[in-house]
Amino acid sequence: MNALLIAGGGGLVAQLAMVVAGHYNAFIKDNVFAVGGMAISLVAGLAYARLAAEGWPSSLAGGLVAGGGCASLGIALSLALKDVPPAVLAFGTIGSAVAGLAGAAIGKVLS
């Protein structure tokens, strides 16, 4: 549980920082949101797998939750700020959850 809080919390802070920066900077909003958000989720998943030191199934599930969870909250803020259309909440969360899963797999391979 601590690993999920640390990885997901760190990812959330990074996602929120990116969303706030993108709200005020069009370049970030237009060019960084998608790739940056998934990269943050990938790192959150990797961090989860490294911190949790569990087996493959648990690590992959935790990476999925950490990556998708931090992204969904960041996207929700971006939606509230009217910086993204509502559909992004669904497909952005799914894409970021998959990125978190991939990050967890990388984390397991590296451990």
Side-chain angles (χ1 to χ4, degrees):
M1 184 59 130
N2 283 339
L4 186 58
L5 291 174
I6 293 167
L12 178 59
V13 168
Q15 292 279 5
L16 294 177
M18 180 185 67
V19 167
V20 170
H23 182 68
Y24 295 104
N25 185 309
F27 178 84
I28 294 171
K29 182 173 81 171
D30 296 338
N31 299 297
V32 178
F33 269 10
V35 174
M38 287 193 296
I40 291 167
S41 291
L42 183 132
V43 171
L46 189 148
Y48 177 81
R50 301 282 293 182
L51 292 168
E54 297 175 345
W56 276 91
S58 296
S59 290
L60 295 178
L64 183 98
V65 171
C70 70
S72 67
L73 294 172
I75 295 167
L77 174 61
S78 193
L79 182 60
L81 293 171
K82 301 185 187 316
D83 288 334
V84 296
V88 174
L89 186 58
F91 71 77
T93 298
I94 292 168
S96 291
V98 171
L101 179 101
I106 293 167
K108 285 303 291 176
V109 168
L110 294 176
S111 62

